[in-house]
Amino acid sequence: MSSNPNYHNANNTPYGSGDPYYSASTGYITPMPMKKRTSNWLKIGVPVLIVVILGAVLGGVLGTRASKKNSDSSSSAQGDTASGAAAASSAVSVKNAIGVFPTATNSQYLLPIYPSATNTAAFTKPTFVPSNNAAIAWPKDPFQPSNPSKTTTRTDRPRIIAPAYKWEVLPNLIASDPYLKFFNDTIFGNATDYYGLQPVVYNLDGGNGILDNAREIKERVKAFSYVYRMTNDTKWVDRLWTELQNAVSDKFGPTDDTKWNPSHFLDTAELTAAFGIAYDWLHDIWSDDQKSTIRSNIITFGLNRGVIAYSNSDNKFTGWWTNNTRGNWNCVCNGGLTLGALAILGDDTTNTAEQILGLTVDNAVTNCAQAVSSDGSWRETANYDYFGTTGHAEMASALMTATGSDFGILTSNKAYGLNGLYRMYVDGPGSLFAYGDHGPPKFSTTANAVLLYGDYYNHPEYVLFQRDQHDAPEPWSMFWYNPSVSGAFWDNMPLDHIFEDPDTAWTSMRSSWTDQNALYVAMKAGSLHLAQNHNDLDDGDFVMDAFGTRFIGELGSGDYLSTNYFSGDNQDDDRWLYYRKRTEGQNCVLVNKQNQLVTAAPTAKGETDNTAQGSSTVFDVPSGSTAYWVADLTSSYNDVTSYKRGIRMINDRKQVLLQDDITASQSIMWRIHTNATVTVDTSGTSATMKIGDSTVVMTILNPTSEMKITTGDAVRFSDDPALPTGQVDQPNPGVTVVMINADAGTKSIQVLFNPQWEGMSSSDFKTPPSVALDQWTLTSHN
Ligand SMILES: *[C@@H]1O[C@H](CO)[C@@H](O)[C@H](O)[C@H]1NC(C)=O
Ligand SMILES: *[C@@H]1O[C@H](CO)[C@@H](O)[C@H](O)[C@H]1NC(C)=O
Ligand SMILES: *[C@@H]1O[C@H](CO)[C@@H](O)[C@H](O)[C@H]1NC(C)=O
Ligand SMILES: *[C@@H]1O[C@H](CO)[C@@H](O)[C@H](O)[C@H]1NC(C)=O
Ligand SMILES: *[C@@H]1O[C@H](CO)[C@@H](O)[C@H](O)[C@H]1NC(C)=O
């Protein structure tokens, strides 16, 4: 292959031989190899034994502190008291003695692995230890305008996200907080890696424009700017300047003001943010000429295009995202424009920055700020939560640091204060409950917004959870992380949560927060048309993890470039022709092999006994502990007079029961997708699913004569309506569909999943009684 039409070089002609990093064999751009780094988790992590011993040694100190905290139920982070000061100094020594909690990162899912520590007093109730001690807490921001205005900024720099007063104390905080130390070390390592790479090569791909480029540049800008400010070594400034120059050069996109691809405005917004951060964080080192160049780049390629977008809000390329879009686009686009505008405000003599702030902030309050539903769930998908909350948190944080107010970005929808719950419960030990589309690569996108939300809404448990995640180490975390946080997120954290907003209803249940082999199930119902075109037709869809492996899972995105993939979400829209978006591509029930109805309005209810983990990472599920959730999915189907799907954990969270009580006038087909090797027994009512050495046995309880388990490939039915001309489904290699067919009529399909836990004999498994879903209670299956 001598050129690839999907990639364009500086002259906007297909990328080919002669262009840097072009690979003739694949037709793709070959990235420079990244230097291999050993995991810092491994270097810094504390061996199990030390934690246990420390727990014993420090038990007295910590026990005292914990009981003090426990008797003080309003754990406000402000104010210093005698007990607060004592707690603060013990907190520093304890923090350093314990270090970073996880001992390693799971290689497949990148989840933190916690030491097995029984009876330790170290992992106590999540709290922000009240302190003014600069060694463990941020000072109060000296900039407290009595009457904040969007266009009046603090007078010192930086003003975006990381004000000067925070840089001043950061070295002290790094010295006393193992997490800040770990983040700082990692950012230095990342910046060093990026330093040796060529500037990001322009790569216009039809589906995501230059979004990957934009986010990669932003990631580098943040790292270079951070390391410069921590070292005063101007080599970082020079390298950053090279990166900025590249992104406005003739090699990078068209040679007019559409260089940053405003027809896919996310790209424009992320580059505007990147340039804004560079301008603001290094304001004192850039020459006047450099500042003038960056400002004019921000205005020409970013802010002016924003003004054009706002005056074309009916245009499906340019400005649609300004109008009634409660999702990641509104957050990222408004966020990027806002960062760019705040950066140059005061230096910009054209007034474009003021004009943009007059547009973005109110628009984001109406749209972006409503992108989480009332229970904290992201309205799009669990993956899009990363993009949306990153845009939202950057915008909120930049406004607060630069102007002294969030102007409603955080306060107009208090449900952002619950988004940390969404984040925590949507992660299973076999990865994310990744329903719907997964989105493009993340680069500078992380879940670190919950560090900001946890601090702002006073939820220390979010902060404690997120600081252990693989994406925590990055520059924003250095400023959003509140180092006065103390305790362990799992202490007193309920194993289950029921998310009740009908738009986004779903539930999550598990057997442990800290055992990577825990049993986990999550199931969703909710609207099928409020997710900005990123959802599937998947009411009743669920995932199951056991043994640190996803046993029943999701297929993910279709090809964003396929014809009419984003055509809309009416029932007859082409999106619903693609297997991965159809109901048959989900872990759902089909009736007459048809898609679910986009008009679905399911209702759901459930109960949990609120079992919470204690301070130990080793957790024994108490006898009888359970939760269940039942969704009424009648409205999701044609040919159905009633249909409820319920899921519950039984036998002290060692087994899962999934039950479908349905009356349908057409044939019924139950389906799940699994990476397991599946063997069906001769009776056809039981099957063994194996992934590696791990086994889950599934059995139909009380089957009617026609209910038999069969298996097949994850492909469309031969009698499905045709795909758009020339289109194909994404292949699903290694995935097996397990099916149960049932005739039309009134059926109760009860499937029991028995993970074959080590040391558990067949007599230890329970066979639950048959109970109609309407009669399910917490004790109905004891
Ligand atoms: C940040 O990390 C770098 C690289 O490990 C290190 O040299 C530097 O001293 C750290 N900064 C502080 C304040 O500890
Ligand atoms: C930063 O470096 C760490 C440690 O090598 C690595 O795991 C991580 O993927 C890097 N992050 C980015 C964004 O490059
Ligand atoms: C960098 O320079 C600033 C301003 O002169 C100074 O306050 C700071 O201490 C210096 N930092 C380092 C790491 O040298
Ligand atoms: C916003 O979108 C609605 C439909 O959702 C449309 O009726 C309206 O004209 C649009 N407004 C603007 C200013 O484009
Ligand atoms: C198969 O494994 C991959 C990688 O872990 C995962 O992303 C995917 O969801 C799994 N598929 C199913 C159907 O479980």
Side-chain angles (χ1 to χ4, degrees):
M1 195 185 293
S2 64
S3 73
N4 181 340
N6 292 329
Y7 292 88
H8 288 73
N9 67 11
N11 306 320
N12 218 10
T13 57
Y15 216 84
S17 45
D19 285 315
Y21 307 116
Y22 178 75
S23 156
S25 59
T26 63
Y28 286 89
I29 292 167
T30 328
M32 294 263 288
M34 292 280 279
K35 212 170 59 189
K36 261 230 147 65
R37 308 182 64 80
T38 54
S39 163
N40 279 318
W41 293 127
L42 288 169
K43 279 186 274 175
I44 294 176
V46 180
V48 175
L49 208 60
I50 298 184
V51 173
V52 177
I53 294 166
L54 262 175
V57 172
L58 298 171
V61 178
L62 287 163
T64 313
R65 186 169 65 92
S67 62
K68 245 176 220 131
K69 295 313 302 168
N70 287 340
S71 61
D72 173 14
S73 56
S74 71
S75 59
S76 149
Q78 302 302 324
D80 204 353
T81 60
S83 68
S89 78
S90 76
V92 172
S93 53
V94 168
K95 279 209 277 196
N96 281 305
I98 298 174
V100 172
F101 287 2
T103 53
T105 305
N106 163 303
S107 58
Q108 188 180 4
Y109 301 116
L110 300 179
L111 297 172
I113 297 177
Y114 294 99
S116 302
T118 49
N119 195 25
T120 170
F123 302 137
T124 51
K125 180 185 163 191
T127 187
F128 292 116
V129 177
S131 176
N132 291 333
N133 179 345
I136 68 153
W138 293 112
K140 192 172 144 94
D141 189 345
F143 176 61
Q144 301 286 338
S146 52
N147 193 9
S149 143
K150 282 170 213 160
T151 50
T152 310
T153 63
R154 65 193 312 132
T155 51
D156 58 345
R157 297 261 187 181
R159 56 170 71 141
I160 292 176
I161 298 178
Y165 81 94
K166 284 200 165 180
W167 292 98
E168 273 163 33
V169 295
L170 196 52
N172 271 339
L173 290 176
I174 291 173
S176 62
D177 188 285
Y179 282 87
L180 286 175
K181 177 172 171 6
F182 171 53
F183 300 163
N184 171 75
D185 286 337
T186 309
I187 299 164
F188 269 72
N190 293 147
T192 306
D193 288 344
Y194 306 151
Y195 189 92
L197 301 178
Q198 295 301 312
V200 170
V201 175
Y202 188 76
N203 169 8
L204 181 72
D205 95 45
N208 283 306
I210 53 166
L211 185 55
D212 291 357
N213 287 169
R215 287 190 166 135
E216 207 175 347
I217 290 168
K218 185 178 167 203
E219 181 171 78
R220 293 183 186 186
V221 164
K222 287 164 62 183
F224 295 150
S225 306
Y226 175 84
V227 175
Y228 165 68
R229 289 197 65 92
M230 293 301 283
T231 58
N232 290 339
D233 184 342
T234 54
K235 78 172 206 183
W236 301 104
V237 182
D238 297 339
R239 178 63 186 82
L240 173 51
W241 180 247
T242 306
E243 197 70 45
L244 297 183
Q245 289 288 93
N246 174 67
V248 295
S249 70
D250 287 352
K251 285 186 298 183
F252 196 93
T255 51
D256 59 25
D257 62 358
T258 64
K259 183 175 285 299
W260 289 353
N261 201 32
S263 61
H264 189 249
F265 206 86
L266 297 172
D267 318 2
T268 309
E270 292 284 36
L271 283 163
T272 306
F275 274 58
I277 295 155
Y279 184 85
D280 177 56
W281 282 26
L282 303 192
H283 195 267
D284 56 357
I285 184 85
W286 298 125
S287 69
D288 286 346
D289 277 353
Q290 286 175 312
K291 278 199 286 256
S292 161
T293 301
I294 303 173
R295 267 201 316 276
S296 104
N297 296 154
I298 289 176
I299 293 170
T300 307
F301 304 129
L303 305 189
N304 280 342
R305 301 303 316 191
V307 174
I308 292 171
Y310 267 94
S311 46
N312 288 278
S313 57
D314 53 348
N315 183 297
K316 77 170 179 164
F317 295 110
T318 318
W320 65 272
W321 53 268
T322 62
N323 182 16
N324 200 19
T325 48
R326 297 185 298 181
N328 80 100
W329 269 78
N330 192 273
C331 295
V332 173
C333 295
N334 280 320
L337 289 171
T338 301
L339 262 61
L342 289 172
I344 64 169
L345 198 66
D347 296 352
D348 164 33
T349 52
T350 68
N351 280 339
T352 316
E354 278 92 340
Q355 192 185 354
I356 280 291
L357 292 168
L359 295 167
T360 54
V361 180
D362 294 345
N363 187 271
V365 171
T366 313
N367 292 287
C368 166
Q370 311 310 319
V372 294
S373 69
S374 62
D375 60 28
S377 302
W378 192 255
R379 288 186 188 275
E380 293 165 294
T381 71
N383 273 291
Y384 275 91
D385 177 76
Y386 287 81
F387 302 112
T389 59
T390 298
H392 175 264
E394 287 173 353
M395 183 170 184
S397 175
L399 280 167
M400 288 192 294
T401 52
T403 71
S405 171
D406 71 294
F407 294 101
I409 304 290
L410 284 166
T411 49
S412 68
N413 179 5
K414 296 279 193 306
Y416 270 93
L418 301 173
N419 182 252
L421 286 181
Y422 179 71
R423 187 77 267 143
M424 292 174 77
Y425 285 96
V426 89
D427 267 317
S431 81
L432 210 58
F433 177 20
Y435 54 85
D437 284 342
H438 291 186
K442 298 204 166 60
F443 294 107
S444 50
T445 302
T446 67
N448 292 324
V450 298
L451 296 176
L452 179 80
Y453 302 154
D455 187 33
Y456 185 84
Y457 296 104
N458 197 18
H459 281 288
E461 69 277 20
Y462 303 171
V463 176
L464 292 165
F465 176 83
Q466 178 58 24
R467 70 179 189 175
D468 287 344
Q469 306 302 313
H470 74 95
D471 58 355
E474 57 114 354
W476 291 167
S477 303
M478 301 306 297
F479 305 94
W480 288 347
Y481 174 66
N482 179 345
S484 74
V485 75
S486 161
F489 74 83
W490 57 84
D491 187 27
N492 214 23
M493 178 56 64
L495 299 176
D496 317 308
H497 194 82
I498 295 169
F499 292 82
E500 291 185 320
D501 189 312
D503 288 356
T504 51
W506 71 286
T507 195
S508 166
M509 308 168 189
R510 72 186 70 218
S511 63
S512 167
W513 280 106
T514 45
D515 177 359
Q516 56 166 337
N517 295 316
L519 185 59
Y520 172 82
V521 291
M523 184 187 282
K524 73 183 288 287
S527 159
L528 297 178
H529 69 95
L530 296 174
Q532 307 276 313
N533 242 348
H534 282 306
N535 62 297
D536 302 338
L537 296 179
D538 62 352
D539 279 333
D541 181 46
F542 73 106
V543 295
M544 184 175 84
D545 298 340
F547 311 106
T549 298
R550 173 119 316 163
F551 257 87
I552 299 169
E554 300 287 335
L555 301 177
S557 306
D559 178 356
Y560 280 21
L561 290 175
S562 51
T563 306
N564 292 338
Y565 186 76
F566 293 119
S567 59
D569 57 9
N570 295 316
Q571 195 68 37
D572 57 359
D573 278 329
D574 285 353
R575 179 178 178 84
W576 311 128
L577 294 171
Y578 294 99
Y579 182 80
R580 289 186 174 193
K581 306 294 107 185
R582 291 176 73 73
T583 306
E584 70 206 50
Q586 320 304 324
N587 304 316
C588 286
V589 161
L590 289 178
V591 174
N592 199 22
K593 291 162 69 183
Q594 298 299 303
N595 270 335
Q596 289 178 351
L597 304 175
V598 299
T599 50
T603 54
K605 72 179 184 56
E607 280 185 280
T608 161
D609 69 350
N610 284 317
T611 301
Q613 189 160 337
S615 93
S616 171
T617 60
V618 178
F619 177 62
D620 287 323
V621 176
S623 174
S625 170
T626 192
Y628 71 89
W629 195 67
V630 177
D632 185 330
L633 305 179
T634 312
S635 67
S636 308
Y637 291 85
N638 277 328
D639 305 316
V640 162
T641 45
S642 77
Y643 172 32
K644 287 181 178 157
R645 163 165 273 203
I647 196 161
R648 69 185 300 141
M649 291 200 166
I650 65 165
N651 197 8
D652 307 341
R653 300 178 185 261
K654 293 190 205 66
Q655 299 166 254
V656 171
L657 175 64
L658 175 71
Q659 181 165 329
D660 294 287
D661 290 355
I662 183 165
T663 300
S665 58
Q666 296 288 343
S667 66
I668 299 162
M669 186 195 288
W670 178 106
R671 293 167 73 85
I672 58 170
H673 292 74
T674 179
N675 288 327
T677 305
V678 183
T679 317
V680 183
D681 79 353
T682 48
S683 71
T685 58
S686 173
T688 302
M689 306 195 284
K690 255 186 184 309
I691 298 181
D693 295 337
S694 306
T695 303
V696 174
V697 175
M698 62 167 269
T699 306
I700 315 176
L701 303 174
N702 311 307
T704 51
S705 59
E706 86 280 22
M707 287 184 199
K708 298 287 181 209
I709 299 175
T710 56
T711 60
D713 293 334
V715 295
R716 55 200 292 103
F717 298 128
S718 54
D719 52 353
D720 273 349
L723 286 169
T725 314
Q727 301 305 298
V728 290
D729 277 313
Q730 302 287 98
N732 298 305
V735 176
T736 296
V737 184
V738 184
M739 288 161 278
I740 302 170
N741 285 290
D743 297 338
T746 296
K747 306 283 166 175
S748 180
I749 308 175
Q750 301 172 17
V751 178
L752 183 64
F753 295 98
N754 289 351
Q756 302 298 296
W757 306 110
E758 202 181 323
M760 208 166 148
S761 64
S762 53
S763 60
D764 296 330
F765 288 98
K766 278 196 174 164
T767 303
S770 175
V771 181
L773 286 171
D774 285 337
Q775 263 76 58
W776 276 22
T777 64
L778 282 174
T779 53
S780 53
H781 292 69
N782 283 359

